[in-house]
Amino acid sequence: MDTKEKLIEVNKLKKYFVVGHRGLLNHIPIHLKAVDEISFDIYKGETLGLVGESGCGKSTVARTMIRLHEPTAGKVMFEGKDIVRMNLKTLNSYRRNFQMIFQDPYASLNPRMTIGDIIAEPMIVFKSRGQLELSKKEIKDRVKELLTIVGLRASFINRYPHEFSGGQRQRIGIARALALNPKLILCDEPVSALDVSIQSQIVNLLQELQEKFNLTYLFIAHDLSVVKHISDRVAVMYLGKIVEIAGYKEIYDNPMHPYTKALLSAIPIPDPVKERTRKRIILMGDVKYPADTFKGCKFYDRCFEHMDICKEKSPELIDMGNNHQVSCFLYNK
């Protein structure tokens, strides 16, 4: 990937939420560290899969990258420009470059609007700002074209979201994301709310669209089999930190971090003999509360390979070669 051009560079990004106060006068804020100083790059035309269990901060990463949440600290460089430092006017004009597909196809579409209006809305907003020159007819024609592109009939333009299934609604969400011809699409668990049979259709559609329009994806999921199917590289996240990142084949064939090993061991194998004989890694203990103040590795209490140093220091991502990075003292020389 080093020879490819970077589309977005995330550098030491933080997002802390104030969840309470402590101290004699309740003047000291308690911070929930949803995203805790993470760094990664996404290259043009690739799909970076972001995986981890619920509550680890995956969705917050995506929302903070495009400032749906304001970052606490860090940089997000998009084609050399820092999104974090942009004023609101510049950011709003820049938003057409990155769009989002949300997890819940039922909650992400306005039930009072027709799907034609839903898909047209981004174009209408940018037209009102003088940043898009399209007539009403051209916008309507574009909406019909987008419906066809995502596998729906153009004649559905005047129907409402409640008239569609979950899979069809997600196609509408994808059409809306494509409306402004973005360069980056953040897919926030776009198939987790869908039936398994529909999931593969949506994933295949995303791959076809990526090839057709040269799109770049950040694909968030907790289903490792889905991530393996669509991703070029995979980043594994635990409690606001990225613990491992590598090419999809490298990370599935040669996992290094104990948490990655545990996640991969939980994937069912469609071979009863192998399934019975393979070793499952059962993690003990509970996930730490992200607002707790503690030093050391956040995975320490659940790790089956922990050492004394893990309790005292937090490991950094180190390069293991072959574009494989891991955050673990097992590999520190």
Side-chain angles (χ1 to χ4, degrees):
M1 285 295 169
D2 291 335
T3 57
K4 288 194 174 183
E5 187 179 351
K6 292 176 184 176
L7 180 68
I8 194 162
E9 300 174 66
V10 177
N11 186 21
K12 294 187 177 180
L13 184 66
K14 295 182 182 180
K15 178 57 188 175
Y16 296 172
F17 295 97
V18 177
V19 294
H21 293 81
R22 58 185 173 83
L24 187 61
L25 300 174
N26 281 334
H27 66 290
I28 303 173
I30 300 172
H31 291 105
L32 187 151
K33 298 180 178 180
V35 178
D36 193 11
E37 204 169 282
I38 69 169
S39 301
F40 60 89
D41 303 324
I42 307 177
Y43 297 88
K44 287 186 177 180
E46 82 159 342
T47 299
L48 176 67
L50 185 60
V51 302
E53 57 196 306
S54 297
C56 73
K58 304 185 300 295
S59 297
T60 307
V61 169
R63 291 167 182 265
T64 306
M65 282 170 61
I66 59 175
R67 283 179 60 183
L68 294 182
H69 295 318
E70 283 297 322
T72 303
K75 290 184 177 181
V76 181
M77 306 297 292
F78 188 92
E79 294 186 325
K81 296 181 180 178
D82 190 358
I83 296 171
V84 175
R85 304 289 182 270
M86 286 182 182
N87 61 47
L88 195 57
K89 184 177 180 181
T90 306
L91 177 65
N92 284 337
S93 65
Y94 214 67
R95 283 191 190 277
R96 66 183 300 173
N97 292 301
F98 35 82
Q99 295 293 310
M100 197 160 183
I101 301 168
F102 296 93
Q103 178 177 358
D104 188 348
Y106 294 89
S108 61
L109 303 180
N110 190 333
R112 296 177 180 271
M113 296 172 66
T114 65
I115 64 166
D117 290 338
I118 288 170
I119 298 170
E121 188 174 24
M123 293 181 279
I124 293 170
V125 168
F126 274 79
K127 181 184 177 183
S128 68
R129 294 175 184 164
Q131 295 164 1
L132 198 65
E133 295 182 4
L134 289 176
S135 65
K136 285 186 177 180
K137 183 180 183 306
E138 286 172 327
I139 290 176
K140 188 173 182 178
D141 290 343
R142 173 67 173 155
V143 170
K144 289 181 177 180
E145 178 190 11
L146 287 167
L147 284 171
T148 305
I149 286 171
V150 298
L152 297 173
R153 295 179 185 175
S155 59
F156 290 169
I157 192 169
N158 293 317
R159 294 190 181 183
Y160 287 84
H162 72 267
E163 300 179 63
F164 297 90
S165 67
Q168 289 174 319
R169 290 186 193 206
Q170 200 58 291
R171 289 174 186 268
I172 295 165
I174 293 169
R176 177 177 58 186
L178 291 172
L180 295 171
N181 295 315
K183 297 175 181 178
L184 172 70
I185 295 184
L186 307 167
C187 307
D188 185 9
E189 302 204 38
V191 298
S192 63
L194 306 177
D195 292 340
V196 175
S197 59
I198 307 300
Q199 287 183 8
S200 59
Q201 295 178 18
I202 298 300
V203 169
N204 290 337
L205 173 63
L206 289 170
Q207 288 180 307
E208 290 169 10
L209 294 173
Q210 182 176 38
E211 189 174 333
K212 185 173 183 179
F213 298 111
N214 194 29
L215 297 170
T216 304
Y217 292 144
L218 174 67
F219 191 92
I220 297 168
H222 58 260
D223 187 335
L224 287 162
S225 57
V226 172
V227 173
K228 183 179 181 180
H229 183 69
I230 194 171
S231 301
D232 297 295
R233 291 186 300 137
V234 177
V236 181
M237 195 168 176
Y238 184 82
L239 276 185
K241 291 272 193 182
I242 288 181
V243 297
E244 189 166 0
I245 183 167
Y248 81 93
K249 194 172 190 316
E250 172 70 13
I251 213 163
Y252 280 81
D253 292 346
N254 183 32
M256 291 186 173
H257 197 279
Y259 179 60
T260 309
K261 293 175 184 177
L263 285 179
L264 292 173
S265 79
I267 300 176
I269 297 175
D271 184 327
V273 176
K274 289 183 179 179
E275 182 67 28
R276 282 195 300 268
T277 56
R278 73 171 176 148
K279 182 182 177 182
R280 283 289 307 275
I281 299 172
I282 308 298
L283 295 177
M284 308 303 291
D286 297 320
V287 180
K288 286 180 178 289
Y289 182 50
D292 289 343
T293 54
F294 52 86
K295 58 182 178 179
C297 177
K298 294 185 176 183
F299 191 57
Y300 173 82
D301 290 342
R302 304 179 75 196
C303 184
F304 50 92
E305 297 183 85
H306 67 248
M307 302 176 291
D308 290 340
I309 192 175
C310 305
K311 197 172 184 178
E312 300 300 323
K313 293 183 178 181
S314 178
E316 299 290 332
L317 275 173
I318 56 174
D319 191 353
M320 301 301 297
N322 199 25
N323 289 318
H324 195 154
Q325 293 176 290
V326 63
S327 172
C328 185
F329 286 118
L330 290 170
Y331 306 98
N332 278 22
K333 296 181 181 178

